[in-house]
Amino acid sequence: MPHFINKPYLMHLCRRFISLLLLLVLMASTSWSQNFSAQETHSLLDKFVWVEGGSFTMGSTAATAKEMEQPAHTVQLSGFQIAKTEVTQSLFQRIMGWNHSYFPCADCPVNNISWLQANEFIKRLNAATGLLFSLPSEAQWEYAAKGGAQSRSYIYSGSNSIADVAWYADNAKRRSHPVAQKQANELGLYDMTGNLWEFCIDDFKQGAYQRNQETVKNPVLTRDVDARARTVKVIRGGGYEFSANESEVFRRDGTTSNVKMPDIGFRLILNNPAVSATQ
């Protein structure tokens, strides 16, 4: 006569197994963010550049600018350090232990992640390195994309010819590409136009610029980054499926903080003033 395990006991075993499995997954993902070596940290810091503070015109007076990109207004920023490239899939996987990106390759920008997941990555990277990284504010992003104090007022980030600096609708073949394959901008930053849209820390507001008729210093429009409530967040830079007339350096858009798309990624700001990036 066959032996049957009673149903309550079987359910108990299943619950125990699922709990153990979740614990193992948590331990594995946590271990990825530990033991970030001094050599790894130094290599990461080499990928940042110093952006000298200053004033610039944020937004645009162009006839093609949308209402949410107007009016042009003066913003004053303190100096900051920003990554030369978007966060790569290899770095993301090193910290998180997983990579669900479309178009997988180690040197391609990580994508198919939400704003919330980007901030979880940053939280773990901070723990792994002892440093303080974050997403850029929208103002920091635009100032850096325009070349900072070295700006030559290009239409796109680093050139008036989009093909020189960007993977976009006419050359990307509907996919992202490895970082730093195109020409850098005035500050040595890559892919600030095209390849992937990039998350900023700010909440997205259609009329955000209309609030700033006078010079503002270090503006950030955001809630606490740890808030789990769904919000709409700023994305900047254009992506691989966008045309030249949708990719000018002043273009802005927004997406909810929990959305995941193959054409959205992010880059990092380093907030440790005593830690020197390449200057």
Side-chain angles (χ1 to χ4, degrees):
M1 186 173 182
H3 176 70
F4 294 94
I5 299 176
N6 64 69
K7 187 174 181 180
Y9 183 64
L10 181 61
M11 292 178 66
H12 171 72
L13 288 178
C14 288
R15 285 195 296 269
R16 289 288 300 272
F17 175 76
I18 292 172
S19 297
L20 179 60
L21 183 62
L22 290 174
L23 179 60
L24 290 172
V25 170
L26 178 61
M27 290 174 63
S29 63
T30 301
S31 68
W32 279 97
S33 63
Q34 295 174 348
N35 302 318
F36 212 76
S37 70
Q39 182 177 0
E40 286 177 300
T41 301
H42 180 74
S43 177
L44 179 60
L45 291 176
D46 280 345
K47 296 178 173 64
F48 283 75
V49 297
W50 173 255
V51 181
E52 182 182 353
S55 297
F56 79 109
T57 300
M58 189 170 182
S60 177
T61 58
T64 56
K66 299 176 182 177
E67 185 176 353
M68 65 181 177
E69 294 153 355
Q70 301 177 30
H73 56 285
T74 302
V75 171
Q76 184 179 352
L77 290 175
S78 303
F80 57 94
Q81 301 176 71
I82 189 169
K84 297 176 185 178
T85 71
E86 296 155 334
V87 171
T88 62
Q89 293 176 34
S90 60
L91 177 59
F92 188 87
Q93 184 158 354
R94 168 68 180 86
I95 293 298
M96 299 298 285
W98 55 269
N99 173 32
H100 299 158
S101 295
Y102 292 84
F103 325 116
C105 81
D107 293 328
C108 292
V110 68
N111 60 79
N112 194 33
I113 55 164
S114 69
W115 183 94
L116 293 170
Q117 289 172 324
N119 277 284
E120 178 61 27
F121 162 85
I122 290 170
K123 180 180 177 180
R124 296 190 188 189
L125 180 64
N126 290 345
T129 61
L131 298 172
L132 187 59
F133 298 97
S134 71
L135 293 175
S137 70
E138 183 176 15
Q140 287 175 324
W141 190 98
E142 185 170 323
Y143 182 57
K146 288 182 171 179
Q150 302 175 44
S151 177
R152 298 178 183 175
S153 302
Y154 291 129
I155 298 171
Y156 309 102
S157 182
S159 179
N160 287 326
S161 172
I162 189 172
D164 292 342
V165 294
W167 296 107
Y168 73 115
D170 286 359
N171 65 8
K173 298 182 180 179
R174 304 189 68 182
R175 60 159 294 154
S176 60
H177 293 262
V179 299
Q181 299 298 299
K182 291 290 187 176
Q183 177 180 305
N185 78 351
E186 299 96 316
L187 296 172
L189 306 179
Y190 297 90
D191 302 310
M192 294 291 276
T193 296
N195 217 9
L196 297 186
W197 287 90
E198 299 180 13
F199 287 122
C200 294
I201 201 75
D202 302 64
D203 292 340
F204 177 81
K205 300 292 183 183
Q206 288 274 353
Y209 291 3
Q210 296 169 13
R211 304 177 183 183
N212 300 325
Q213 299 298 317
E214 298 180 359
T215 299
V216 291
K217 185 173 182 179
N218 299 322
V220 182
L221 179 63
T222 186
R223 305 181 193 180
D224 184 347
V225 297
D226 291 327
R228 308 306 293 179
R230 185 175 65 182
T231 55
V232 180
K233 293 296 180 179
V234 171
I235 54 174
R236 297 296 302 259
Y240 58 81
E241 287 195 304
F242 285 74
S243 63
N245 61 8
E246 298 172 303
S247 303
E248 298 97 323
V249 75
F250 60 81
R251 295 295 181 191
R252 63 194 299 260
D253 208 340
T255 190
T256 52
S257 56
N258 64 341
V259 76
K260 304 173 188 178
M261 297 291 288
D263 64 347
I264 304 177
F266 65 104
R267 77 177 63 218
L268 298 169
I269 292 286
L270 175 61
N271 297 299
N272 296 75
V275 178
S276 295
T278 303
Q279 298 191 33

